[in-house]
Amino acid sequence: MKKPKGGDTLLFQQIFDGLTLGMVYALIAVGYSLVFGILRLVNFSHGSVYAFGAHIALVVAVSMQWGIFPALLISIIATGFLGILIDKLSLKPLREKKSKPIAALITTIGVSYIIQNLLMIIFGSQSKWFPKIFNYGIIKLGSISVNSTQLFIFLVSLLLLIILTVIIQKTKVGLAMRAVEQNPKAAHLMGINVNYIVSFTFFLGGASAAIAGTLISGYYQVVYPNMGFIAGLKAFSAAVLGGIGVLYGSVIGGLVVGLSESFAVSYFGGGYRDAVAFVILILVLIIRPKGIFGKKDITKV
Amino acid sequence: MKKIIVVLLTVLMVVSLFSGCTPKESEVVKLAIAAPLTGDFAEYGTGFKNAVELMVEQWNSKGGVLDKKVEVVVYDDKNNGEEAATIAEKIIGDSDIAGVVGHFASGVCMAASPTYQEAGIVEISPSASHPDYSSEGDYIFRNNTVINVEAKEAIEIAVKALNAKNIGILSVKTDWGTATAGIVKEIANDYEGVKVVEHQEIIDGTVDFSPVVTAFNEAKPDVVIVVGMYNVLAPFATQYKAVNPEINFVGFSNAYSQELINLGKEYVEGVYLPAIFFHGSENENIKNFVEAYEAKYGSAPSSLTAQAYDSAGIILSAIENTSSIDRSAIKDELYKISYPGVTGQTTFNEKGDAQKTFAWLKVENGAFVEVSK
């Protein structure tokens, strides 16, 4: 273990780096949590859906030159529909056959590989350039440099979280979603179109992945087909840490994972950063399986 | 059963009768190419094949070598050691074959090279970079740089072109990356007043460099030597330049790709790297090669393709210089040859490693340009 050089400046810079990285994970983690919260299903295709969203934005913003905001909008719609498609083609048949939850879980892993490889076939496996979003340069706070894009990501994640919470807590469709979460059969008997609600949830999941994909690509300026794999797993760790199914928990979980990574780089070197997220995941599963803000009734993850 | 044996023996005798009475000298000189033409590495093998065929075509249009037509025999080893060993057996059995260009991966080369060494036939690999490969025998050559030569060149650029005193190293955590970073550190210590102030390792595929940049920024290097491909160098440069626009970067030759500029845009301006083959060179020789290759195959030749092209040229030149197709004479000639190829003036050291002259490339106005040393 090496001692990090520098004093408080370095420490604050690391904290800030970690928080931004954490927000990136939080953005993806919210999608995991959303689908899990309503359907009790860990959707492992979420990482690939996120990569898909980034590629759609890439096509609109770079190939067609329509600008970044139309790119974001089109990506949200297209990726939302991809979410619905995944549900209709692979998960709905399983639900109708009343298969075990593990079957759906493994199906999502399969779907993830299909999406990833399709992206590779269509776009090639090389890393591609993505335009910067909301770039007003670097803001100096004392000796700490804060990237304006980082702040933007932070704000958008917060906004996305609020919007999703409002949809779930305050709207009619949100009420239906919560009803489906409680008891799909009873909800059906009460006249709720369960399939519609499930599709809507997947649409929201896809849309949040598209937002995450576009913002993060705009931040790092890199898009490639495998981008969702490690980021998705870390976001999953973040979601579990915060208590999967709890939206604000995902944000806190993301921040913790991001911070730990940032510190891991300076204390142990860059080679260990990926390990940290998974060490956290394992520790959480051992010590507090339901996560920091987890609800008590969650028994299976 | 007996009948079969009798028939077989008779056939054998007749065959040996025919083959025994043809001491007449062959009309062609054959050059073997052994490379992956199918499978995951087919893109490289196809490049080898194209390049060697182009070189041979050019020799034949000038009348061949020693007034004989040159013929290419192509073997597909699928980048598989077992296939390569079988192919090596086939190649040594054909006495018309004067030399072998090939095998792609070091491990595959090393599965075949003992056979070539034992039979005494020259093998030049355009791509093997494993240090042990060329030590397998005096018939075994490589037309590729060994990594410490390139590492020295990278430091040379940092110190001479960029006046660096404090050097940072960013390396990918792979066999190649870790080994190269170690060599860079070692060589850097030999320079007066130069020290390595920070070394960070990253997993290949990392896109978030902010913690790494923070660590570098604290150590304040003048130049960061990036041991990684374009997909590491470009985002790293982008994120570092955002924090510190004054920083300079030196890459390695495998980051030499148009993708580097596509991905890094203005942030890779001023990035230096050493390369033995520069595709956009003004050198007449290289220009002709690039044009001929593009006209024939419709794509630009890569460094490794250029190295395969030169490997074939080296063997053919050696044959012409010694005026014989005696395999051991060709081998002896290779240790003396100085071949002006598209990958620079090539000579081999006593181990059979090509000694290359590097060009220094710099990204300027969105394109690679060659800078004088």
Side-chain angles (χ1 to χ4, degrees):
Chain A
M1 188 158 139
K2 72 178 181 195
K3 233 179 149 184
K5 301 169 207 83
D8 290 348
T9 312
L10 182 65
L11 185 73
F12 284 123
Q13 185 68 50
Q14 277 163 354
I15 290 176
F16 191 75
D17 288 344
L19 286 178
T20 323
L21 189 61
M23 260 351 241
V24 166
Y25 294 145
L27 259 178
I28 312 174
V30 166
Y32 274 108
S33 240
L34 184 72
V35 172
F36 185 88
I38 309 299
L39 302 172
R40 291 284 173 273
L41 163 75
V42 180
N43 176 16
F44 273 118
S45 67
H46 193 66
S48 296
V49 173
Y50 150 81
F52 176 88
H55 278 82
I56 294 291
L58 178 79
V59 169
V60 180
V62 178
S63 310
M64 297 161 90
Q65 307 253 332
W66 284 8
I68 200 73
F69 287 99
L72 182 62
L73 198 70
I74 292 173
S75 174
I76 286 174
I77 296 168
T79 315
F81 278 104
L82 176 75
I84 297 180
L85 197 69
I86 291 172
D87 176 55
K88 292 275 183 239
L89 290 181
S90 62
L91 299 172
K92 190 168 165 245
L94 290 176
R95 264 200 309 280
E96 280 166 358
K97 283 194 165 174
K98 302 214 176 348
S99 4
K100 291 188 173 128
I102 190 88
L105 183 90
I106 290 167
T107 302
T108 61
I109 296 176
V111 168
S112 159
Y113 276 94
I114 293 171
I115 296 173
Q116 214 174 78
N117 284 294
L118 279 179
L119 288 177
M120 234 180 263
I121 291 167
I122 299 168
F123 296 95
S125 55
Q126 73 272 35
S127 308
K128 286 162 283 285
W129 176 80
F130 195 90
K132 245 188 188 152
I133 294 179
F134 194 80
N135 181 25
Y136 290 103
I138 300 276
I139 303 155
K140 288 268 181 198
L141 293 175
S143 52
I144 305 169
S145 40
V146 176
N147 194 326
S148 53
T149 318
Q150 293 179 325
L151 283 178
F152 185 61
I153 286 189
F154 197 87
L155 291 177
V156 171
S157 315
L158 218 59
L159 190 69
L160 178 70
L161 178 71
I162 293 168
I163 292 175
L164 288 175
T165 312
V166 168
I167 290 178
I168 293 171
Q169 299 298 335
K170 305 281 178 203
T171 63
K172 215 172 166 186
V173 70
L175 184 69
M177 283 164 88
R178 281 179 287 143
V180 171
E181 176 199 345
Q182 292 289 325
N183 188 338
K185 207 178 252 174
H188 178 68
L189 292 174
M190 292 295 121
I192 292 172
N193 185 342
V194 175
N195 277 326
Y196 170 78
I197 294 300
V198 170
S199 289
F200 184 75
T201 310
F202 269 94
F203 183 89
L204 283 185
S208 71
I211 294 169
T214 310
L215 285 184
I216 292 164
S217 305
Y219 176 41
Y220 296 131
Q221 295 190 271
V222 180
V223 171
Y224 57 103
N226 290 339
M227 63 191 283
F229 181 64
I230 283 288
L233 282 180
K234 285 184 186 164
F236 174 68
S237 305
V240 174
L241 174 63
I244 190 162
V246 185
L247 292 185
Y248 60 86
S250 309
V251 178
I252 304 294
L255 293 179
V256 172
V257 171
L259 273 178
S260 329
E261 252 188 51
S262 180
F263 281 104
V265 171
S266 51
Y267 283 97
F268 305 112
Y272 293 92
R273 65 186 296 175
D274 286 350
V276 171
F278 303 119
V279 168
I280 290 177
L281 176 66
I282 293 166
L283 287 180
V284 169
L285 288 177
I286 293 171
I287 299 165
R288 196 180 158 87
K290 60 181 188 283
I292 300 173
F293 303 102
K295 294 172 193 160
K296 281 197 185 110
D297 61 336
I298 296 171
T299 47
K300 50 187 187 223
V301 172
Chain B
M1 191 63 199
K2 244 183 195 169
K3 257 187 189 167
I4 298 174
I5 293 174
V6 169
V7 171
L8 274 177
L9 280 177
T10 319
V11 170
L12 248 166
M13 276 167 70
V14 173
V15 169
S16 56
L17 257 176
F18 277 114
S19 59
C21 62
T22 48
K24 199 175 64 186
E25 204 166 291
S26 162
E27 292 302 307
V28 291
V29 173
K30 287 186 187 167
L31 207 55
I33 161 107
L37 298 171
T38 52
D40 288 348
F41 298 92
E43 135 191 28
Y44 298 99
T46 310
F48 285 8
K49 175 175 164 281
N50 290 348
V52 172
E53 282 178 349
L54 180 64
M55 174 58 88
V56 165
E57 194 184 291
Q58 287 166 350
W59 276 74
N60 281 338
S61 70
K62 287 185 293 183
V65 65
L66 308 178
D67 294 325
K68 286 179 190 160
K69 207 170 159 286
V70 188
E71 206 179 283
V72 182
V73 255
V74 182
Y75 294 96
D76 177 12
D77 67 12
K78 305 178 179 72
N79 206 37
N80 172 318
E82 282 166 35
E83 291 278 341
T86 316
I87 287 169
E89 294 290 345
K90 278 190 203 163
I91 289 175
I92 62 166
D94 185 343
S95 60
D96 287 345
I97 295 180
V100 185
V101 174
H103 299 296
F104 171 67
S106 300
V108 177
C109 289
M110 285 155 86
S113 49
T115 312
Y116 297 129
Q117 175 63 28
E118 210 177 295
I121 183 168
V122 162
E123 177 196 14
I124 303 183
S125 170
S127 51
S129 65
H130 196 288
D132 295 345
Y133 162 71
S134 54
S135 323
E136 297 231 322
D138 53 351
Y139 282 87
I140 310 303
F141 295 83
R142 81 173 107 215
N143 187 25
N144 193 20
T145 42
V146 193
I147 197 62
N148 41 2
V149 183
E150 199 179 339
K152 185 166 169 60
E153 206 72 24
I155 297 171
E156 198 96 331
I157 293 177
V159 173
K160 296 212 173 123
L162 296 164
N163 295 319
K165 292 274 171 274
N166 298 330
I167 291 180
I169 303 171
L170 177 79
S171 65
V172 288
K173 213 170 181 155
T174 60
D175 272 356
W176 172 77
T178 309
T180 308
I183 292 167
V184 171
K185 265 189 205 169
E186 222 168 81
I187 302 176
N189 288 333
D190 298 343
Y191 284 80
E192 190 75 26
V194 172
K195 60 174 190 281
V196 176
V197 291
E198 181 71 50
H199 174 212
Q200 288 282 336
E201 275 194 309
I202 50 132
I203 309 276
D204 206 0
T206 302
V207 287
D208 177 74
F209 291 95
S210 44
V212 179
V213 168
T214 301
F216 275 119
N217 213 29
E218 198 61 30
K220 297 197 171 37
D222 311 318
V223 171
V224 180
I225 295 179
V226 180
V227 186
M229 305 239 292
Y230 77 92
N231 62 344
V232 171
L233 180 47
F236 175 63
T238 306
Q239 291 170 40
Y240 205 144
K241 282 256 171 98
V243 179
N244 178 4
E246 301 299 310
I247 191 72
N248 289 305
F249 303 99
V250 176
F252 272 76
S253 62
N254 55 0
Y256 168 44
S257 157
Q258 186 56 37
E259 298 290 336
L260 177 73
I261 297 169
N262 293 347
L263 195 58
K265 303 270 175 197
E266 70 267 27
Y267 299 100
V268 292
E269 282 290 313
V271 167
Y272 277 83
L273 42 85
I276 50 178
F277 171 71
F278 175 42
H279 163 264
S281 168
E282 286 303 310
N283 180 313
E284 204 60 35
N285 205 356
I286 300 173
K287 245 176 145 171
N288 290 342
F289 163 63
V290 173
E291 274 166 23
Y293 191 95
E294 281 177 340
K296 192 159 186 222
Y297 304 109
S299 63
S302 73
S303 282
L304 289 182
T305 305
Q307 280 161 218
Y309 179 77
D310 276 353
S311 303
I314 289 168
I315 296 177
L316 292 173
S317 299
I319 295 172
E320 191 155 84
N321 293 352
T322 54
S323 313
S324 88
I325 47 169
D326 178 47
R327 287 169 172 181
S328 81
I330 298 172
K331 179 230 3 171
D332 292 337
E333 176 62 22
L334 284 186
Y335 287 101
K336 288 181 256 164
I337 208 164
S338 174
Y339 179 81
V342 294
T343 57
Q345 196 77 25
T346 306
T347 55
F348 292 100
N349 69 1
E350 69 291 345
K351 279 170 81 184
D353 293 334
Q355 304 296 299
K356 294 287 189 183
T357 39
F358 278 88
W360 290 1
L361 304 184
K362 185 187 181 187
V363 181
E364 216 171 79
N365 301 324
F368 287 102
V369 292
E370 198 171 343
V371 291
S372 56
K373 294 192 182 184

